[in-house]
Coordinates of all heavy atoms in Angstrom, one line a residue:
E107 N -46.8 8.2 14.1 CA -47.0 6.9 14.8 C -46.5 7.0 16.3 O -47.1 6.5 17.2 CB -46.3 5.8 14.1 CG -47.0 5.3 12.9 CD -48.4 4.8 13.2 OE1 -48.6 3.7 13.6 OE2 -49.4 5.6 13.0
I108 N -45.4 7.8 16.4 CA -44.9 8.0 17.8 C -45.8 8.8 18.6 O -46.1 8.4 19.8 CB -43.5 8.7 17.7 CG1 -42.5 7.8 17.1 CG2 -43.0 9.1 19.1 CD1 -41.1 8.5 16.8
I109 N -46.4 9.9 18.1 CA -47.3 10.7 18.8 C -48.6 10.0 19.1 O -49.2 10.0 20.2 CB -47.6 12.0 18.0 CG1 -46.4 12.9 17.9 CG2 -48.8 12.8 18.6 CD1 -46.5 14.0 16.9
R110 N -49.1 9.2 18.1 CA -50.3 8.4 18.3 C -50.1 7.4 19.5 O -51.0 7.3 20.4 CB -50.7 7.6 17.1 CG -51.9 6.8 17.2 CD -52.1 5.8 16.0 NE -50.9 4.9 15.8 CZ -50.8 3.8 16.5 NH1 -51.7 3.5 17.5 NH2 -49.7 3.0 16.3
T111 N -48.9 6.8 19.5 CA -48.7 5.8 20.6 C -48.7 6.5 22.0 O -49.2 6.0 23.0 CB -47.3 5.2 20.4 OG1 -47.3 4.5 19.1 CG2 -47.0 4.2 21.5
G112 N -48.1 7.7 22.0 CA -48.1 8.5 23.2 C -49.4 8.9 23.7 O -49.7 8.7 24.9
I113 N -50.3 9.3 22.8 CA -51.6 9.7 23.2 C -52.4 8.5 23.7 O -53.1 8.5 24.7 CB -52.4 10.3 22.0 CG1 -51.7 11.7 21.7 CG2 -53.8 10.5 22.3 CD1 -52.3 12.3 20.5
E114 N -52.3 7.4 23.0 CA -53.0 6.2 23.4 C -52.5 5.5 24.7 O -53.2 4.7 25.3 CB -53.0 5.2 22.2 CG -53.8 5.6 21.0 CD -53.7 4.6 19.9 OE1 -53.0 3.6 20.0 OE2 -54.4 4.9 18.9
S115 N -51.2 5.9 25.1 CA -50.7 5.4 26.3 C -51.3 6.0 27.6 O -51.2 5.5 28.7 CB -49.2 5.5 26.3 OG -48.8 6.9 26.5
V116 N -51.9 7.2 27.4 CA -52.6 7.9 28.5 C -53.9 7.2 28.8 O -54.7 7.0 27.9 CB -52.8 9.4 28.1 CG1 -53.5 10.1 29.3 CG2 -51.5 10.0 27.8
P117 N -54.1 6.8 30.0 CA -55.4 6.1 30.4 C -56.6 6.9 30.0 O -56.6 8.2 30.2 CB -55.2 5.9 31.9 CG -53.8 6.0 32.2 CD -53.2 6.9 31.2
R118 N -57.6 6.2 29.6 CA -58.9 6.9 29.2 C -59.4 7.7 30.4 O -60.1 8.7 30.2 CB -59.9 5.9 28.7 CG -61.2 6.5 28.2 CD -60.9 7.3 26.9 NE -62.1 8.0 26.5 CZ -62.1 8.9 25.5 NH1 -61.0 9.2 24.9 NH2 -63.2 9.6 25.2
G119 N -59.1 7.3 31.6 CA -59.7 8.0 32.8 C -59.2 9.4 32.9 O -59.8 10.2 33.5
Q120 N -58.0 9.7 32.3 CA -57.5 11.0 32.3 C -58.4 12.0 31.5 O -58.6 13.1 32.0 CB -56.1 11.1 31.7 CG -55.0 10.2 32.5 CD -54.6 10.9 33.8 OE1 -55.4 10.9 34.8 NE2 -53.4 11.4 33.8
F121 N -58.8 11.5 30.4 CA -59.8 12.3 29.6 C -61.1 12.5 30.4 O -61.6 13.6 30.4 CB -60.0 11.6 28.3 CG -58.8 11.6 27.4 CD1 -58.0 10.5 27.4 CD2 -58.5 12.6 26.5 CE1 -56.9 10.4 26.6 CE2 -57.4 12.5 25.6 CZ -56.6 11.4 25.7
E122 N -61.5 11.5 31.0 CA -62.8 11.5 31.7 C -62.7 12.4 32.9 O -63.6 13.2 33.3 CB -63.2 10.1 32.1 CG -63.5 9.2 31.0 CD -63.8 7.8 31.4 OE1 -63.5 7.5 32.6 OE2 -64.1 7.0 30.5
A123 N -61.5 12.4 33.6 CA -61.3 13.3 34.7 C -61.3 14.8 34.3 O -61.9 15.6 35.0 CB -59.9 13.0 35.3
G124 N -60.7 15.1 33.1 CA -60.8 16.4 32.6 C -62.2 16.9 32.3 O -62.6 18.0 32.7
A125 N -63.0 16.0 31.7 CA -64.4 16.3 31.4 C -65.2 16.6 32.7 O -66.0 17.5 32.8 CB -65.0 15.2 30.6
A126 N -64.9 15.7 33.8 CA -65.6 15.9 35.1 C -65.2 17.2 35.7 O -66.1 17.7 36.5 CB -65.2 14.7 36.0
L127 N -64.0 17.7 35.5 CA -63.6 19.0 36.0 C -64.2 20.2 35.2 O -63.9 21.3 35.6 CB -62.1 19.1 36.1 CG -61.4 18.1 37.1 CD1 -59.9 18.2 37.0 CD2 -61.8 18.5 38.5
G128 N -64.9 19.9 34.2 CA -65.4 21.0 33.4 C -64.5 21.5 32.3 O -64.7 22.6 31.8
L129 N -63.4 20.8 32.1 CA -62.4 21.3 31.1 C -62.8 21.0 29.7 O -63.5 20.0 29.4 CB -61.0 20.7 31.4 CG -60.4 21.0 32.7 CD1 -59.1 20.2 32.9 CD2 -60.2 22.5 33.0
S130 N -62.5 21.9 28.8 CA -62.8 21.6 27.4 C -61.8 20.5 26.9 O -60.8 20.2 27.5 CB -62.6 22.9 26.5 OG -61.2 23.2 26.5
P131 N -62.1 19.9 25.7 CA -61.2 18.8 25.2 C -59.7 19.4 25.0 O -58.8 18.7 25.3 CB -61.8 18.4 23.9 CG -63.2 18.7 24.1 CD -63.3 19.9 24.9
F132 N -59.6 20.6 24.6 CA -58.3 21.2 24.4 C -57.6 21.4 25.7 O -56.4 21.1 25.9 CB -58.4 22.6 23.6 CG -57.1 23.3 23.4 CD1 -56.2 22.8 22.5 CD2 -56.7 24.3 24.2 CE1 -55.0 23.5 22.3 CE2 -55.5 25.0 24.1 CZ -54.6 24.5 23.1
Q133 N -58.3 22.0 26.7 CA -57.8 22.2 28.0 C -57.4 20.9 28.7 O -56.3 20.8 29.3 CB -58.8 22.9 28.9 CG -59.0 24.4 28.5 CD -60.1 25.0 29.3 OE1 -61.1 24.4 29.7 NE2 -60.0 26.3 29.7
T134 N -58.2 19.9 28.5 CA -57.9 18.5 29.0 C -56.6 18.0 28.4 O -55.7 17.5 29.1 CB -59.0 17.5 28.8 OG1 -60.2 18.0 29.4 CG2 -58.7 16.2 29.3
F135 N -56.4 18.2 27.1 CA -55.3 17.7 26.4 C -54.0 18.4 26.9 O -53.0 17.8 27.2 CB -55.4 17.9 24.9 CG -54.2 17.4 24.1 CD1 -54.0 16.0 23.9 CD2 -53.3 18.3 23.6 CE1 -52.9 15.6 23.2 CE2 -52.2 17.9 22.9 CZ -52.0 16.5 22.7
V136 N -54.1 19.7 27.0 CA -52.9 20.5 27.4 C -52.5 20.3 28.9 O -51.4 20.1 29.2 CB -53.1 22.0 27.1 CG1 -52.0 22.8 27.7 CG2 -53.2 22.2 25.6
S137 N -53.5 20.3 29.7 CA -53.3 20.3 31.2 C -53.1 18.9 31.8 O -52.4 18.7 32.7 CB -54.5 21.0 31.9 OG -54.6 22.3 31.4
I138 N -53.7 17.9 31.2 CA -53.7 16.6 31.8 C -53.0 15.5 30.9 O -52.3 14.6 31.5 CB -55.2 16.1 32.1 CG1 -55.9 17.1 33.0 CG2 -55.2 14.7 32.6 CD1 -57.3 16.8 33.3
V139 N -53.2 15.6 29.6 CA -52.7 14.5 28.7 C -51.3 14.8 28.2 O -50.5 13.8 28.1 CB -53.7 14.3 27.6 CG1 -53.2 13.2 26.6 CG2 -55.1 13.9 28.1
L140 N -51.0 16.0 27.9 CA -49.8 16.3 27.1 C -48.5 15.9 27.8 O -47.7 15.3 27.2 CB -49.8 17.8 26.8 CG -48.6 18.3 25.9 CD1 -48.6 17.6 24.6 CD2 -48.7 19.8 25.7
K141 N -48.4 16.2 29.1 CA -47.1 16.0 29.8 C -46.8 14.5 29.9 O -45.7 14.0 29.5 CB -47.1 16.6 31.2 CG -45.7 16.6 31.8 CD -45.6 17.4 33.0 CE -44.2 17.4 33.6 NZ -44.0 18.3 34.7
P142 N -47.8 13.6 30.4 CA -47.5 12.2 30.4 C -47.3 11.6 29.0 O -46.5 10.7 28.8 CB -48.7 11.6 31.1 CG -49.8 12.6 31.0 CD -49.1 13.9 31.0
A143 N -48.0 12.1 28.0 CA -47.8 11.7 26.6 C -46.4 12.0 26.2 O -45.7 11.2 25.5 CB -48.8 12.2 25.7
L144 N -46.0 13.3 26.4 CA -44.6 13.7 26.0 C -43.5 12.9 26.7 O -42.5 12.6 26.1 CB -44.4 15.2 26.4 CG -44.9 16.2 25.4 CD1 -44.7 17.6 25.9 CD2 -44.2 16.1 24.1
R145 N -43.8 12.5 28.0 CA -42.8 11.7 28.7 C -42.6 10.4 28.0 O -41.5 9.8 27.9 CB -43.2 11.5 30.1 CG -42.2 10.7 30.9 CD -42.7 10.5 32.4 NE -41.7 9.8 33.2 CZ -41.8 9.5 34.4 NH1 -42.9 9.8 35.1 NH2 -40.8 8.9 35.1
T146 N -43.7 9.8 27.5 CA -43.6 8.5 26.8 C -42.9 8.6 25.4 O -42.1 7.7 25.1 CB -45.1 8.0 26.6 OG1 -45.7 7.8 27.9 CG2 -45.0 6.6 25.9
I147 N -43.2 9.7 24.7 CA -42.7 9.7 23.3 C -41.4 10.5 23.2 O -40.8 10.4 22.1 CB -43.8 10.4 22.4 CG1 -44.0 11.9 22.7 CG2 -45.1 9.6 22.5 CD1 -45.0 12.6 21.8
Y148 N -41.0 11.2 24.2 CA -39.8 12.1 24.1 C -38.6 11.3 23.6 O -37.9 11.8 22.7 CB -39.5 12.8 25.4 CG -38.3 13.6 25.3 CD1 -38.3 14.9 24.7 CD2 -37.1 13.2 25.8 CE1 -37.2 15.7 24.6 CE2 -35.9 13.9 25.7 CZ -36.0 15.2 25.2 OH -34.8 16.0 25.1
P149 N -38.2 10.1 24.2 CA -37.0 9.4 23.7 C -37.1 9.1 22.3 O -36.1 9.2 21.5 CB -37.0 8.2 24.6 CG -37.8 8.6 25.8 CD -38.9 9.5 25.4
A150 N -38.3 8.6 21.8 CA -38.4 8.2 20.4 C -38.3 9.4 19.5 O -37.7 9.4 18.4 CB -39.7 7.5 20.2
L151 N -39.0 10.5 19.9 CA -38.9 11.7 19.1 C -37.5 12.3 19.0 O -37.1 12.7 17.9 CB -39.9 12.8 19.6 CG -41.4 12.6 19.3 CD1 -42.2 13.8 19.9 CD2 -41.6 12.6 17.8
S152 N -36.8 12.3 20.1 CA -35.4 12.8 20.1 C -34.6 11.9 19.2 O -33.7 12.4 18.5 CB -34.9 13.0 21.5 OG -34.9 11.7 22.1
G153 N -34.8 10.6 19.3 CA -34.1 9.7 18.4 C -34.3 9.9 16.9 O -33.4 9.8 16.1

Side-chain angles (χ1 to χ4, degrees):
E107 285 299 281
I108 294 172
I109 294 169
R110 179 190 61 80
T111 301
I113 293 174
E114 292 179 354
S115 70
V116 178
R118 185 64 190 173
Q120 298 285 74
F121 295 89
E122 296 171 354
L127 292 172
L129 300 177
S130 68
F132 179 77
Q133 290 173 323
T134 300
F135 179 77
V136 172
S137 303
I138 299 177
V139 177
L140 184 58
K141 191 169 183 178
L144 274 177
R145 181 180 187 181
T146 300
I147 67 177
Y148 178 80
L151 281 181
S152 60

